[in-house]
Amino acid sequence: MLNIDDTKIFIDSIQNPKYQDIFKKAGVDFNKYNQRQAIVGNLMLADYMGISIDELLHGDLFYHGDHGKPFLKSNDFQFNIANSYDLVVLAVNENGKELGIDIEKLRPFTYQRITRAFTDNELNYLSNLDEKDDGDTTLKLWTIKEATLKLLGTGLSGKAKSVDINVDTLESAQRLDRKFKLTDIKVGKGYVGTLATYEN
């Protein structure tokens, strides 16, 4: 577990042996990640809440924002879940602070594949990087944009390009009139991650 300010971040892997029988019983397609990621995310949340997975999935515990982001009706804490390849993370804040989190596995990548996601200033920043840093930095910027849009509750329907990152520090961003604090999170070797919260 990581502690960042007053936010707890729990990290687990879909390769964890304790989940394998659950996956088999659920009949997941082991060639795909998303079903296993969803199961692990739900189990992590149920475990944190001290309830059964059945109560989590079938109890009347959540309401959903306009774009589907879940919130606890009890308002006991704010949470957000993210995943990439093997890793799943759960971020929890018990002080009512809304948050968004995103992670990405580092892999061969280039900003030129997703130029529409970036502002002119961000594209200029990426184009001036050494080729060896281009992919990792592109994925890092992507986690910033997605974490921010998850915080807002829009998800990617909110358009990645609308999030304007301060590329000098990578510690803040802006979207329309809202400002965001960005915190780098170290979730595991070979991954990058970002926690987004509203600036005070």
Side-chain angles (χ1 to χ4, degrees):
M1 183 183 76
L2 301 174
N3 272 304
I4 297 176
D5 295 328
D6 55 353
T7 298
K8 298 173 186 170
I9 298 173
F10 302 89
I11 305 161
D12 210 339
S13 168
I14 63 172
Q15 303 302 336
N16 188 327
K18 73 180 184 180
Y19 298 126
Q20 304 315 305
D21 283 344
I22 297 168
F23 295 154
K24 287 173 187 166
K25 285 177 187 167
V28 302
D29 181 347
F30 278 84
N31 294 312
K32 297 178 180 174
Y33 288 91
N34 61 336
Q35 292 175 327
R36 289 178 290 163
Q37 291 165 343
I39 289 169
V40 171
N42 284 329
L43 287 168
M44 290 171 73
L45 183 57
D47 186 52
Y48 182 79
M49 295 174 71
I51 61 175
S52 70
I53 190 68
D54 189 60
E55 187 177 352
L56 180 85
L57 296 176
H58 305 297
D60 189 22
L61 303 176
F62 303 96
Y63 71 91
H64 293 83
D66 292 343
H67 297 274
K69 182 178 179 178
F71 295 89
L72 274 174
K73 289 181 177 178
S74 67
N75 210 28
D76 287 344
F77 59 87
Q78 299 285 336
F79 73 95
N80 202 224
I81 298 172
N83 52 64
S84 181
Y85 289 78
D86 285 348
L87 287 193
V88 181
V89 295
L90 165 66
V92 174
N93 187 287
E94 294 184 344
N95 296 325
K97 185 188 289 182
E98 291 185 61
L99 49 85
I101 193 167
D102 190 54
I103 62 171
E104 284 292 339
K105 181 179 173 70
L106 296 176
R107 56 198 188 272
F109 207 82
T110 174
Y111 71 92
Q112 293 168 337
R113 287 177 57 184
I114 53 170
T115 54
R116 70 189 180 283
F118 298 109
T119 66
D120 290 344
N121 190 42
E122 292 158 357
L123 287 171
N124 184 55
Y125 169 74
L126 289 166
S127 69
N128 283 304
L129 294 173
D130 289 341
E131 193 172 321
K132 66 181 177 59
D133 298 324
D134 164 17
D136 291 1
T137 305
T138 298
L139 290 167
K140 174 60 184 174
L141 294 190
W142 180 260
T143 69
I144 289 172
K145 287 175 178 280
E146 189 157 0
T148 301
L149 293 172
K150 289 174 72 179
L151 164 63
L152 288 164
T154 66
L156 291 177
S157 67
K159 297 197 166 98
K161 191 172 184 174
S162 69
V163 177
D164 186 10
I165 301 167
N166 178 346
V167 292
D168 293 331
T169 66
L170 305 186
E171 293 175 357
S172 63
Q174 186 163 340
R175 183 179 185 266
L176 304 174
D177 59 345
R178 301 300 296 265
K179 292 186 176 178
F180 308 94
K181 177 184 175 186
L182 310 170
T183 304
D184 183 55
I185 52 172
K186 309 287 187 199
V187 292
K189 187 174 181 186
Y191 286 80
V192 289
T194 299
L195 175 70
T197 54
Y198 292 111
E199 265 196 10
N200 296 333

